[in-house]
């Protein structure tokens, strides 16, 4: 008997020494549910030394989970396999009341050589660190969510501001378009008024000068005074019209091209009849060059009158005491009609820039500055598909050749079609 006890004591000593060197938090529970062997890591969970736990009841340290531990021990002994127990609540020194701990335990049955349960091994895992990390992650996620919501609010606010800016931009663009259209209408009105007023003003000026020069007979001093005032007022108004043209000519909105059948000889005869007083005043003789009558063309009569009026009226001012020769030719191969205006007179200054906008030359009377109207005529001709060329005869006489197609570009509108529709 003494030998058996010695062997048992030796075995307990070996196991105790073994448990003292195990790096895990485990303990041996005997059949009375008291600690028999305890590792330092296990005892440290309770803030004690291993020897302070040996011989003490397991339930002393787990009073709130006694029933669950008992059930786990019986289940492990009956099944002969490990049993997991989660969320154990220990009773630790220095912690009054209920404290939150996150301990999980694993129970293994220990059997002797006959297969009878001789006790249990219990291993405890402290999840406090994992829970702390999880809690920290959850807090971080909550902060990130708050930051995301704040950023979304900032984005929505920025989108709202951008929407307001876009709307403001659209409003400004619409206002700019309206102002641009109003400016175009203004320029169009100024151009139309200027051109339409210019022709009757020149006629009034011509007749006034003829009356002043007694071309229709003797006039009384009172009549001469009235004629002088007519001429003065007409010249003043003409200068105002010229300033309006200079203001709006470069930006005026082109009128739509409205076409109809036109006889160029008849249009030219009517035009030159209207400026006959100017011809008399400048002592310019009009000469028509005979030739085969050209066919009627389809074009814009309003533009045609402006083109030939600009060229003829300014050229007449420039060729004082001279002859203006007019010829109309049919260019069958080119499917167009050419009108040539030739002015014969004294040697003229170079006209290399005659097609530039606002080009002006010095007139020979009273030191005036007058424009040849070629730039305006060229722009109008471009709109109806025509062209203009300027050459010189050997003596310096200017020759303007205006070529007009039988039919204008496709963008034009037909007055004949509008009349038929009406």
């Amino acid at each position: 008997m003494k030998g058996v006890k010695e062997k048992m004591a030796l075995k307990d000593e070996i196991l105790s020494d073994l448990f003292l060197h195990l790096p895990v938090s485990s303990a041996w529970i005997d059949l009375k549910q008291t600690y028999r062997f305890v590792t330092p890591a296990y005892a440290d969970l309770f803030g004690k030394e291993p020897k302070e736990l040996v011989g003490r009841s397991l339930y002393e340290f787990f009073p709130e989970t006694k029933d669950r531990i008992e059930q786990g021990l019986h289940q492990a002994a009956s099944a002969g396999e490990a049993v997991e127990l989660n969320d154990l609540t220990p009773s630790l020194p220095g912690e009054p009341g209920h404290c939150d701990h996150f301990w999980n335990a694993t129970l293994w049955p220990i059997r002797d050589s006959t297969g009878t349960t001789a006790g249990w091994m219990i291993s405890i895992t402290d999840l406090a660190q994992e829970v702390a990390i999880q809690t920290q992650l959850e807090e971080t996620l909550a902060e990130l969510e708050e930051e995301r919501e704040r950023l979304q609010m900032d984005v929505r606010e920025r989108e709202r501001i951008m929407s307001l800016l876009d709307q403001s931009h659209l409003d400004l663009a619409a206002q700019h378009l309206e102002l641009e259209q109003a400016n175009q209408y203004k320029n169009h009105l100024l151009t139309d008024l200027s051109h339409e007023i210019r022709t009757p003003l020149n006629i009034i000026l011509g007749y006034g000068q003829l009356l002043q020069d007694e071309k229709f007979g003797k006039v009384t001093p009172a009549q001469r005074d009235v004629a002088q005032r007519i001429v003065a007022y007409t010249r003043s108004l003409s200068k105002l019209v010229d300033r309006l043209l200079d203001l709006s000519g470069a930006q005026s909105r082109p009128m739509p091209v409205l076409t109809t059948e036109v006889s160029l000889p008849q249009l030219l005869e009517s035009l030159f009849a209207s400026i006959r007083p100017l011809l008399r005043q400048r002592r310019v003789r009009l000469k028509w060059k005979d030739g085969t009558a050209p066919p009627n063309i389809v074009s814009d009569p309003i533009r045609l009158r402006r083109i030939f009026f600009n060229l003829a009226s300014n050229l007449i001012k420039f060729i004082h005491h001279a002859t203006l020769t007019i010829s109309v030719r049919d260019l069958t191969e080119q499917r167009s009609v050419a009108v040539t205006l030739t002015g014969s007179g004294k040697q003229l200054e170079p006209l290399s820039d005659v097609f530039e906008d606002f080009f002006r030359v010095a007139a020979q009377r009273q030191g005036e500055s007058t424009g040849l109207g070629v730039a305006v005529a060229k722009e109008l001709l471009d709109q109806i598909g025509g062209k203009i060329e300027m050459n010189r005869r050997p003596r310096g006489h200017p020759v303007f050749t205006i070529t007009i197609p039988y039919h204008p570009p496709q963008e034009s509108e037909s007055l004949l079609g509008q009349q038929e529709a009406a």
Side-chain angles (χ1 to χ4, degrees):
M1 179 64 70
K2 182 178 179 180
V4 174
K5 290 183 178 181
E6 289 178 354
K7 288 182 181 180
M8 292 291 295
L10 179 61
K11 185 183 297 184
D12 288 349
E13 184 178 351
I14 293 173
L15 287 174
S16 178
D17 185 64
L18 175 63
F19 269 79
L20 288 176
H21 291 86
L22 287 177
V24 295
S25 54
S26 300
W28 181 318
I29 309 297
D30 60 19
L31 293 176
K32 297 179 180 180
Q33 289 85 43
T34 59
Y35 292 110
R36 185 174 181 183
F37 303 104
V38 179
T39 65
Y42 185 94
D44 189 59
L45 291 175
F46 300 91
K48 298 182 179 296
E49 295 294 330
K51 62 183 180 180
E52 295 181 80
L53 297 183
V54 174
R56 297 176 68 173
S57 172
L58 171 65
Y59 305 125
E60 182 181 345
F61 298 94
F62 296 96
E64 297 184 9
T65 53
K66 177 181 177 182
D67 294 340
R68 290 179 57 204
I69 293 176
E70 284 185 348
Q71 183 179 359
L73 293 174
H74 289 302
Q75 182 179 352
S78 301
E81 58 185 18
V83 174
E84 299 286 342
L85 296 177
N86 298 326
D87 299 328
L88 293 181
T89 305
S91 176
L92 301 179
E95 292 187 358
H98 178 75
C99 298
D100 291 332
H101 294 278
F102 304 94
W103 288 6
N104 290 345
T106 304
L107 302 174
W108 292 276
I110 300 174
R111 299 182 184 276
D112 58 15
S113 59
T114 64
T116 305
T117 301
W120 296 268
M121 283 287 294
I122 181 171
S123 178
I124 293 179
T125 304
D126 187 359
L127 301 179
Q129 184 176 2
E130 287 79 357
V131 172
I133 295 175
Q134 180 67 24
T135 302
Q136 186 177 2
L137 287 175
E138 291 176 354
E139 292 176 352
T140 303
L141 289 175
E143 292 176 358
L144 290 175
E145 182 65 21
E146 292 178 359
E147 183 67 16
R148 185 185 68 83
E149 292 180 357
R150 186 184 65 80
L151 290 176
Q152 283 185 342
M153 291 179 63
D154 292 343
V155 169
R156 287 194 292 267
E157 179 65 16
R158 191 176 293 109
E159 289 176 348
R160 186 183 69 83
I161 294 174
M162 290 300 296
S163 176
L164 293 175
L165 290 176
D166 290 342
Q167 186 61 43
S168 300
H169 177 74
L170 291 175
D171 294 341
L172 289 175
Q175 293 176 5
H176 175 75
L177 181 60
E178 291 177 359
L179 291 175
E180 194 72 29
Q181 291 176 343
N183 186 56
Q184 290 178 354
Y185 292 147
K186 180 264 296 180
N187 290 331
H188 179 49
L189 177 62
L190 289 176
T191 303
D192 285 350
L193 288 176
S194 300
H195 283 295
E196 297 302 329
I197 292 175
R198 209 175 193 187
T199 300
L201 280 179
N202 288 328
I203 296 174
I204 295 171
L205 180 61
Y207 278 118
Q209 290 175 340
L210 291 175
L211 289 173
Q212 188 177 355
D213 296 339
E214 298 183 339
K215 296 297 183 180
F216 299 110
K218 296 291 182 179
V219 294
T220 64
Q223 292 172 336
R224 185 182 300 279
D225 180 64
V226 171
Q228 289 176 349
R229 279 185 286 174
I230 291 174
V231 171
Y233 292 149
T234 306
R235 282 178 176 168
S236 176
L237 191 55
S238 294
K239 291 180 180 179
L240 176 61
V241 170
D242 287 338
R243 285 197 294 270
L244 288 175
L245 281 175
D246 289 342
L247 175 66
S248 64
Q251 300 179 347
S252 60
R253 180 178 62 88
M255 295 173 57
V257 178
L258 301 176
T259 60
T260 186
E261 188 173 340
V262 178
S263 171
L264 276 179
Q266 292 181 5
L267 184 143
L268 291 172
E269 288 177 4
S270 172
L271 173 66
F272 283 104
S274 67
I275 61 173
R276 189 175 293 115
L278 185 59
L279 295 172
R280 292 178 182 175
Q281 174 194 350
R282 306 296 290 179
R283 298 181 182 179
V284 175
R285 187 169 66 90
L286 196 63
K287 180 180 178 181
W288 292 87
K289 197 170 184 178
D290 295 334
T292 305
N296 292 346
I297 63 173
V298 176
S299 190
D300 188 333
I302 298 177
R303 279 180 169 79
L304 290 176
R305 287 185 63 87
R306 288 185 179 178
I307 291 167
F308 290 110
F309 175 80
N310 271 281
L311 290 176
S313 61
N314 287 284
L315 190 57
I316 288 169
K317 296 177 186 177
F318 193 65
I319 56 170
H320 188 58
H321 290 280
T323 301
L324 177 62
T325 304
I326 306 168
S327 67
V328 183
R329 294 177 292 116
D330 181 21
L331 304 178
T332 307
E333 295 182 357
Q334 302 180 22
R335 297 187 60 78
S336 58
V337 177
V339 179
T340 303
L341 302 179
T342 306
S344 60
K346 298 179 181 180
Q347 182 71 26
L348 303 177
E349 63 178 275
L351 300 177
S352 58
D353 297 327
V354 71
F355 291 102
E356 297 295 328
D357 290 341
F358 309 115
F359 171 76
R360 308 183 80 82
V361 296
Q364 298 180 11
R365 182 181 181 185
Q366 297 177 354
E368 294 179 2
S369 176
T370 180
L372 289 180
V374 180
V376 176
K378 182 177 182 302
E379 181 182 353
L380 294 172
L381 279 167
D382 290 340
Q383 296 169 10
I384 60 174
K387 62 180 181 178
I388 182 171
E389 297 177 354
M390 195 280 290
N391 298 298
R392 277 189 176 279
R393 294 281 176 86
R395 294 183 180 181
H397 300 157
V399 179
F400 289 98
T401 302
I402 300 94
T403 305
I404 305 168
Y406 286 165
H407 296 278
Q410 296 297 325
E411 299 84 30
S412 60
E413 301 178 16
S414 174
L415 280 175
L416 293 176
Q418 293 180 5
Q419 292 172 357
E420 292 176 359

